[in-house]
Amino acid sequence: MPTSAFIHTTSGLTIEKGSVTWESPSNIALVKYWGKKENQIPANPSISFTLSNCKTITTLYYKKLSSPSDEFQFEVYLEGKKQDDFKPKINTFFKRIEQYVPFIKEFEYKIETSNTFPHSSGIASSASGMSALALCIMSIEKELNPSLTDANFTKKASFLARLGSGSACRSLEGDLVCWGMHKEIKGTSDLFGVKYPYEVHKNFKNYQDTILLVDKGEKQVSSTVGHNLMHNHPYAENRFQQAHDNLSKLIDVFKSGDLKSFIEIVESEALTLHAMMMTSLPYFILMKPNTLEIINKIWSFRETSGLHLCFTLDAGANVHLLYPENEKLEVLDFINSQLVGYCQNGHYICDSIGFGAKLISK
Ligand code: PMV
């Protein structure tokens, strides 16, 4: 599909003002996206569980300007407080999407946003935040072009969200979303996320994700810097191939419900992501001593209990614990007795896989 297919065509309808609210969840990658080409095209395909409780709620107020402006006209509020430091990222997002939604310069905006998770939790809000904002913009497009189908609405929202933050394009639907072309997965594209189209065993239904907040500080390495480290990285080509291979293996795993293989793939992906950062120039270690303590505890718990708890990591020190729903009681017991001491202020967030974004009001 060419990107030109996403350019808005005018219907002749006009709007004076309005508002729309969307909520959109975060997601956690099983096969990681790390490395990109120009225009936010991923260097390898990825797949994620959409989350349910960790989400961003965004209201976009829009009002027609008397004449289109040269600059994007908007104000941003986080939890009711004006947040000027969000403006450069949103401005870049608007610049990237303008050619696909040229009407955006005809309005001025107030963006009101809030997260269900604390802003200073070390949980990136870019996936949920950018997908929620992309959906709000798409609601204006739908008002201008009512014939837009739901399927095309979601596809274009994912396409736009990707231009804000790559992983955001995997937050619109659930419960498993792929992004990036993969030869064995029908419908996959580098331009937008798609729902995983094949059979998924009941073992993965309502899978749990408990996020241990090891370090609530700002990210040490921004994603943009991180992705760029994969250019001229000595292991880049092997890593990109490995992501393709891991996705192929996951197709069988999702079908058979083989949790042992699932764990192996997911933990290997997390450690590879960090290995890429440790072996780039400049190099980074984003894990903290407590991240490693937790990983070792998980491994010995798994050994002694025979349960299927595993971990994954984002580009930071926090640990996502993934486990099947029917092991929840034992795992929560283990977290409270053995892991909570490694979390900053004893904080962790319980989440589970979810089904994507929701329109709250229009
Ligand atoms: O969407 P970005 O540019 O913030 O990159 C996200 C990268 C990882 O979270 C580390 C992996 C992923 O696939 O979500």
Side-chain angles (χ1 to χ4, degrees):
M1 192 172 195
T3 51
S4 56
F6 290 101
I7 297 173
H8 170 76
T9 44
T10 40
S11 63
L13 285 175
T14 57
I15 313 170
E16 280 314 309
K17 61 178 188 176
S19 71
V20 59
T21 305
W22 278 90
E23 63 166 50
S24 190
S26 184
N27 66 71
I28 181 68
L30 305 172
V31 171
K32 308 288 180 184
Y33 148 58
W34 198 243
K36 64 179 166 187
K37 305 178 198 163
E38 236 189 308
N39 301 324
Q40 304 272 100
I41 296 300
N44 64 260
S46 58
I47 188 164
S48 51
F49 277 149
T50 305
L51 295 181
S52 174
N53 299 334
C54 289
K55 56 195 177 197
T56 298
I57 299 116
T58 298
T59 300
L60 183 69
Y61 297 90
Y62 44 97
K63 193 167 150 218
K64 185 118 183 171
L65 293 162
S66 45
S67 58
S69 149
D70 281 344
E71 302 287 322
F72 299 110
Q73 303 288 336
F74 65 96
E75 295 296 346
V76 201
Y77 293 78
L78 173 69
E79 260 110 53
K81 279 206 208 86
K82 202 149 176 254
Q83 199 78 33
D84 285 342
D85 53 334
F86 280 14
K87 289 184 89 170
K89 198 158 184 202
I90 295 176
N91 206 60
T92 304
F93 174 55
F94 282 170
K95 258 195 223 149
R96 286 186 189 153
I97 66 172
E98 186 189 355
Q99 60 173 306
Y100 305 105
V101 281
F103 54 82
I104 55 169
K105 277 213 174 132
E106 293 171 19
F107 296 90
E108 59 178 348
Y109 306 93
K110 182 178 173 199
I111 304 165
E112 274 182 5
T113 186
S114 62
N115 298 320
T116 55
F117 47 92
H119 182 56
S120 57
S121 59
I123 299 184
S125 55
S126 57
S128 51
M130 284 299 174
S131 52
L133 185 54
L135 283 158
C136 290
I137 306 254
M138 281 309 294
S139 286
I140 304 181
E141 165 145 356
K142 172 91 185 169
E143 225 179 310
L144 290 168
N145 180 9
S147 65
L148 189 68
T149 63
D150 287 351
N152 284 338
F153 180 99
T154 306
K155 194 186 275 186
K156 183 163 173 184
S158 176
F159 173 86
L160 297 181
R162 186 194 97 245
L163 295 170
S165 168
S167 59
C169 77
R170 297 188 313 238
S171 272
L172 289 96
E173 298 178 282
D175 44 358
L176 267 172
V177 176
C178 312
W179 167 44
M181 198 114 80
H182 186 273
K183 66 178 187 319
E184 287 165 59
I185 308 178
K186 222 176 94 205
T188 46
S189 166
D190 286 346
L191 300 179
F192 47 83
V194 293
K195 260 165 86 158
Y196 178 70
Y198 305 130
E199 193 181 334
V200 179
H201 191 276
K202 64 173 177 11
N203 283 354
F204 298 104
K205 294 287 166 212
N206 208 19
Y207 223 71
Q208 304 291 303
D209 179 5
T210 301
I211 310 161
L212 304 182
L213 305 178
V214 172
D215 182 19
K216 302 189 195 176
E218 284 278 307
K219 279 201 201 174
Q220 262 178 53
V221 182
S222 75
S223 308
T224 314
V225 171
H227 291 293
N228 284 336
L229 295 174
M230 291 306 282
H231 293 304
N232 304 318
H233 190 292
Y235 306 130
E237 284 318 310
N238 283 337
R239 159 59 198 151
F240 300 147
Q241 185 55 47
Q242 179 197 41
H244 281 269
D245 297 345
N246 280 341
L247 253 172
S248 297
K249 288 184 198 161
L250 275 180
I251 298 174
D252 293 331
V253 166
F254 285 136
K255 192 167 174 197
S256 65
D258 176 357
L259 291 175
K260 203 163 161 270
S261 303
F262 176 78
I263 290 170
E264 194 174 280
I265 295 165
V266 167
E267 291 191 345
S268 164
E269 276 288 323
L271 294 177
T272 302
L273 170 71
H274 283 254
M276 289 301 110
M277 291 182 231
M278 290 187 216
T279 50
S280 56
L281 275 178
Y283 39 78
F284 297 95
I285 301 182
L286 298 187
M287 288 188 265
K288 297 281 182 207
N290 282 353
T291 312
L292 289 176
E293 295 284 356
I294 291 167
I295 291 174
N296 281 315
K297 289 269 182 191
I298 292 171
W299 285 344
S300 60
F301 172 76
R302 203 157 68 217
E303 182 82 34
T304 51
S305 68
L307 296 177
H308 300 93
L309 171 65
C310 73
F311 70 86
T312 188
L313 307 165
D314 268 341
N318 294 336
V319 184
H320 287 249
L321 301 181
L322 301 178
Y323 50 97
E325 190 181 24
N326 62 4
E327 298 181 5
K328 192 171 170 176
L329 288 181
E330 292 95 325
V331 171
L332 286 176
D333 238 22
F334 165 63
I335 294 172
N336 287 318
S337 61
Q338 295 199 47
L339 300 184
V340 82
Y342 299 113
C343 302
Q344 234 182 321
N345 308 320
H347 285 166
Y348 62 87
I349 296 175
C350 290
D351 211 336
S352 56
I353 62 180
F355 294 90
K358 271 196 224 127
L359 177 66
I360 303 297
S361 67
K362 174 84 187 80

